[in-house]
Amino acid sequence: MPPWNPIFGHLYFCYKVTSRLSRDAHPNYLPDTIRRELPELGPIFYLDTWPIGPQMLVVASTRGLYQITQEDSLPKHPRLKHFLNPIAGGLDLVTMEGALWKKWRGIFNPGFSSTYLMSLAGGIVEETENFCKNLQSLAQDHALFHMKDLADNLTMDVIGRIVMNVHLSSQTRNNPLVNGLRSQVKWLTFGADINPFARYNPVRPIVNWYNSRRMNIYINRVIDSRFSELNVRDGNIERANKSIIDLVLTSYLSDRSPNSFANMDPTFKTFTMNQIKLFLFSGHDTTSSTVCYIFYALTTKPDILKRVRNEHNSVFGLNPQEAPELITADPYLLNQLPYTLAVIKEVLRLYPAVSGTRIGELGFDVIDDAGRHFPTRDFLVWDIG
């Protein structure tokens, strides 16, 4: 493990290595920064952040990640639920486990089908065209801008189309749902802030309540509208080019008696509403980050960029203006871009946008490539993608 101080544990060491980073750097940079400082440390090591945070076992190796997520999936840490509670209210697919998770995951399963997502390509293409227009406009102005802001707006609009079949239009104007979510994200905390005022800020509950109310009003209106239309159609609706919420409500109504169509189960409605917010939040901090890293990687590797362009030219032709229409007409053309897919996967490997927290268990050790055992009992296990 890194150099340990009997009084400060690893806090002083973490402060030294993170002081070189930007103040708004993502917490996921911490383990990699430590590994760069101590190359001999390896991808699995302990961190003692008491009393600010819990004692942790950092796992950043493929083998280690497989052990704690697939071979013997460790339970998710309560701090994850605490962190996501202002977004999803503790009723979501990320923090659920066991039979309850399987039940609700099954309800949303149709929306995760690749075939179904292909049917929504037209809407995705339309939102991506807006993104490209914004980039072209900024490039012509030779202005400095934050790519993350544009990528956030793109992912918000795409998720809005896929999940709710609504035009959030956050790339062109303000939207109350998007504004509420962004404000909520700024106030999220794992409860491990060094600044006690930041950790116990008395204003946070009020802001959380206000933002939740703004988001819930917007999403509740969408759910009621879709539910009413499905009622008129007796639960039968054309699936093509419909949102995930339509699939979920159709599945819900198919399991109900006709006499119960008039009212939606409150628990089901609450879960659906929370899950929509979680979809938006997840895209806000993962998909948009990956988009930025892809642009960065291609900019720094002109030879790779050239090969990507050549592949696109061979599939879509030499006129990029024709690509949107071609993809909308035949989304499966995207399956003819193996090199582009490889680039995306490599970016995800080099710049993982997600991490997770789990609870260590008695008798469960993570084993590294050298055969060393790392006990997990009483540790927060931090898995870095």
Side-chain angles (χ1 to χ4, degrees):
M1 64 180 180
W4 184 78
N5 183 287
I7 298 177
F8 299 106
H10 289 130
L11 287 176
Y12 181 66
F13 176 79
C14 289
Y15 168 76
K16 283 201 306 180
V17 298
T18 56
S19 62
R20 306 166 197 163
L21 301 174
S22 170
R23 291 183 61 184
D24 60 350
H26 197 284
N28 283 5
Y29 278 104
L30 174 61
D32 189 61
T33 305
I34 292 175
R35 290 171 60 193
R36 290 174 185 270
E37 182 78 11
L38 304 170
E40 71 283 359
L41 189 63
I44 304 175
F45 55 90
Y46 291 103
L47 271 184
D48 179 10
T49 61
W50 188 89
I52 301 302
Q55 294 180 318
M56 295 183 286
L57 174 63
V58 176
V59 180
S61 74
T62 303
R63 179 177 178 179
L65 291 172
Y66 177 79
Q67 293 173 52
I68 64 178
T69 62
Q70 303 296 319
E71 193 173 89
D72 188 357
S73 181
L74 292 177
K76 295 164 185 173
H77 201 278
R79 282 179 180 263
L80 180 60
K81 181 169 286 190
H82 170 80
F83 177 74
L84 290 176
N85 189 67
I87 298 290
L91 193 65
D92 60 85
L93 286 172
V94 171
T95 57
M96 283 180 176
E97 298 189 84
L100 186 61
W101 178 85
K102 290 181 179 179
K103 172 188 174 182
W104 288 104
R105 182 61 167 82
I107 291 174
F108 277 84
N109 260 343
F112 293 107
S113 161
S114 59
T115 302
Y116 178 71
L117 290 175
M118 281 294 191
S119 72
L120 303 176
I124 299 175
V125 167
E126 184 179 331
E127 300 299 347
T128 306
E129 284 189 281
N130 291 332
F131 175 72
C132 293
K133 290 175 183 176
N134 288 337
L135 282 180
Q136 290 165 354
S137 175
L138 289 166
Q140 290 171 356
D141 293 341
H142 300 284
L144 185 66
F145 62 93
H146 290 280
M147 173 67 79
K148 185 66 164 59
D149 293 340
L150 270 68
D152 284 345
N153 291 335
L154 168 65
T155 54
M156 288 287 192
D157 286 352
V158 168
I159 294 171
R161 293 289 290 272
I162 292 176
V163 177
M164 298 183 290
N165 197 24
V166 297
H167 294 268
L168 295 179
S169 302
S170 61
Q171 297 187 87
T172 56
R173 62 174 183 268
N174 286 325
N175 178 281
L177 172 60
V178 174
N179 290 345
L181 180 68
R182 283 182 171 152
S183 175
Q184 198 78 312
V185 168
K186 293 177 182 178
W187 288 84
L188 294 180
T189 176
F190 268 103
D193 307 85
I194 295 178
N195 184 337
F197 182 76
R199 183 186 295 195
Y200 304 110
N201 192 330
V203 178
R204 180 180 287 110
I206 301 173
V207 176
N208 288 162
W209 172 85
Y210 174 68
N211 288 329
S212 292
R213 184 174 181 274
R214 283 201 291 172
M215 292 187 288
N216 290 343
I217 289 174
Y218 190 101
I219 297 173
N220 189 68
R221 189 182 303 122
V222 174
I223 294 176
D224 285 345
S225 173
R226 303 310 303 150
F227 188 72
S228 297
E229 182 175 342
L230 285 168
N231 270 332
V232 171
R233 297 170 181 259
D234 294 326
N236 296 314
I237 192 165
E238 183 69 30
R239 287 197 170 194
N241 299 319
K242 294 299 178 180
S243 63
I244 289 177
I245 194 174
D246 284 339
L247 295 185
V248 171
L249 292 176
T250 301
S251 175
Y252 168 78
L253 290 172
S254 67
D255 294 332
R256 310 279 291 185
S257 64
N259 294 332
S260 64
F261 276 18
N263 299 304
M264 187 186 304
D265 178 71
T267 300
F268 179 87
K269 187 174 187 179
T270 299
F271 174 82
T272 303
M273 190 157 32
N274 289 341
Q275 195 56 49
I276 290 173
K277 289 185 289 185
L278 190 68
F279 283 145
L280 289 165
F281 168 71
S282 299
H284 180 275
D285 200 38
T286 56
T287 306
S288 60
S289 295
T290 301
V291 169
C292 294
Y293 281 126
I294 289 173
F295 273 89
Y296 168 75
L298 292 176
T299 301
T300 56
K301 302 288 184 182
D303 55 325
I304 303 297
L305 176 59
K306 182 178 180 180
R307 293 180 65 179
V308 169
R309 283 174 170 163
N310 289 339
E311 183 177 66
H312 289 196
N313 290 340
S314 68
V315 175
F316 304 123
L318 298 178
N319 185 359
Q321 303 299 325
E322 296 177 357
E325 186 177 344
L326 291 171
I327 296 173
T328 301
D330 184 9
Y332 289 93
L333 285 173
L334 297 173
N335 291 337
Q336 299 179 29
L337 303 172
Y339 190 77
T340 301
L341 178 61
V343 168
I344 295 171
K345 288 182 176 181
E346 181 66 1
V347 168
L348 287 168
R349 186 187 71 83
L350 292 172
Y351 308 103
V354 296
S355 65
T357 55
R358 297 175 181 270
I359 305 172
E361 293 183 334
L362 174 65
F364 183 87
D365 296 357
V366 179
I367 306 173
D368 68 5
D369 293 336
R372 294 180 298 176
H373 287 243
F374 294 81
T376 65
R377 183 186 181 185
D378 297 329
F379 286 94
L380 180 156
V381 181
W382 186 8
D383 57 276
I384 306 292

